Amino acid sequence: MGRLMEEVRKDERAGDGGGAGGLAICFLLALVQFSLGGYQLGFGNQPIQITFLRHWADPTLFTADEMVRQTLPWYPTLFFRMLAPLLHVSGLEPLYLLLQLMTGFLTLVAVYLLGRSIFRGRVGRAAATAAVCLMVAGHHRGLALEGLYTPFFTHTLAALPVALLVLTLMYRGKTFWAMALAGVLFNIHALTAAYAMLMVTMATLADVAWKDRKSWWRWGRSVLLGGMAFGVLALPTLWQMAMQGGGGGQFFVGGGVTLRGGVWGALSFPGTGGARGNRAFPRFPR
């Protein structure tokens, strides 16, 4: 990892171009992806999330709605509260359409930048372009629960390009900025930020083997300050989760995620949740 980062820095000093062309490719492919993958409003998590958004835009709405009143404090994100002022200058339908287009484009840009950061020179441009082209068909589902492209906008879509940018900064050796951006991301989507921070942490620890004595101080200072920046920037959502008993209403039982008495089928941390005898999880007849 350390040698790879040094090679990336050499390319940066050499002025390796292709940025404008890459942005143009991402823009055109984002339009193609939108045309192929389509667009939907009112699907997935949108019904509850749009309700939260409208409540933050007008706190007098849904004050007697028990679902909103009981669920909103357990939703560990500041995204909809930050997005709410835009409803005063735009309708919901055009706002969500614009956000769908923007996140699709920014995700492709982030994938392109990540590819250029992992590889070098012409190989980097080719690899980044190939990765972006593969993303265009992201609305097709393989064996995973989610596709690479979701036709309805959620805060998870907004978090994806930010998480990819965190990894890009990590590959470019900018550990402090990667951790700081992960802290900002935590306020948008805590679980995505936790995954990104875990990858940055593991890569940083693996990079220790490549450090000499002269670079130890700079490396340690960057990691220490980056960890502090992550904690400070993530503090608003961390505080909200702590006030609600941790996890924003989510708690882990036997490797699965239980949401206020119900069970979420998409297990983030598979473990003993599906073990025989655990009645909290549905089992399929053979």
Side-chain angles (χ1 to χ4, degrees):
M1 181 66 70
R3 292 181 179 178
L4 177 60
M5 292 178 177
E6 290 299 325
E7 294 297 333
V8 170
R9 293 201 234 346
K10 289 181 182 179
D11 284 343
E12 289 176 342
R13 290 193 293 267
D16 189 19
L23 287 176
I25 292 174
C26 291
F27 178 75
L28 294 176
L29 290 181
L31 296 179
V32 172
Q33 184 184 55
F34 182 82
S35 301
L36 293 176
Y39 172 70
Q40 298 172 342
L41 184 65
F43 287 78
N45 294 334
Q46 282 188 340
I48 185 65
Q49 293 179 354
I50 291 175
T51 303
F52 293 161
L53 178 62
R54 285 177 166 167
H55 173 75
W56 286 121
D58 184 0
T60 62
L61 294 177
F62 311 111
T63 55
D65 191 309
E66 286 299 311
M67 181 188 68
V68 175
R69 191 180 65 83
Q70 295 185 30
T71 306
L72 185 58
W74 296 89
Y75 221 77
T77 178
L78 300 181
F79 179 77
F80 301 104
R81 187 181 302 188
M82 295 184 294
L83 191 64
L86 294 180
L87 283 185
H88 298 300
V89 296
S90 173
L92 177 68
E93 291 79 5
L95 175 62
Y96 263 52
L97 177 60
L98 177 61
L99 291 173
Q100 178 75 17
L101 291 169
M102 287 181 58
T103 52
F105 170 65
L106 292 176
T107 298
L108 295 184
V109 171
V111 170
Y112 184 83
L113 292 176
L114 181 58
R116 291 293 302 274
S117 300
I118 296 175
F119 300 98
R120 300 187 292 129
R122 294 181 179 178
V123 175
R125 288 195 293 272
T129 303
V132 170
C133 290
L134 289 175
M135 290 286 291
V136 173
H139 59 288
H140 294 294
R141 294 188 179 184
L143 298 178
L145 178 70
E146 297 288 345
L148 297 176
Y149 173 82
T150 304
F152 47 87
F153 175 78
T154 66
H155 68 309
T156 305
L157 287 184
L160 180 56
V162 183
L164 293 171
L165 186 55
V166 170
L167 300 183
T168 299
L169 292 171
M170 182 270 295
Y171 267 104
R172 291 178 178 269
K174 303 183 186 301
T175 306
F176 170 81
W177 294 110
M179 291 184 173
L181 185 59
V184 175
L185 176 61
F186 198 88
N187 298 293
I188 300 175
H189 199 290
L191 188 59
T192 301
Y195 287 151
M197 189 62 179
L198 176 62
M199 287 185 277
V200 171
T201 302
M202 298 305 295
T204 302
L205 294 177
D207 197 35
V208 176
W210 300 99
K211 297 297 179 183
D212 54 27
R213 293 183 178 180
K214 293 182 179 179
S215 59
W216 261 91
W217 165 247
R218 184 176 62 182
W219 174 85
R221 181 183 59 183
S222 178
V223 172
L224 178 61
L225 293 178
M228 294 173 60
F230 173 84
V232 171
L233 293 172
L235 189 59
T237 301
L238 286 172
W239 179 260
Q240 178 188 356
M241 295 169 68
M243 291 296 98
Q244 298 299 331
Q250 302 180 8
F251 52 95
F252 299 93
V253 179
V257 182
T258 302
L259 300 177
R260 296 186 61 80
V263 178
W264 183 34
L267 302 184
S268 300
F269 303 98
T272 59
R276 187 177 301 276
N278 191 341
R279 298 184 178 180
F281 292 83
R283 305 188 66 84
F284 296 95
R286 296 182 180 178

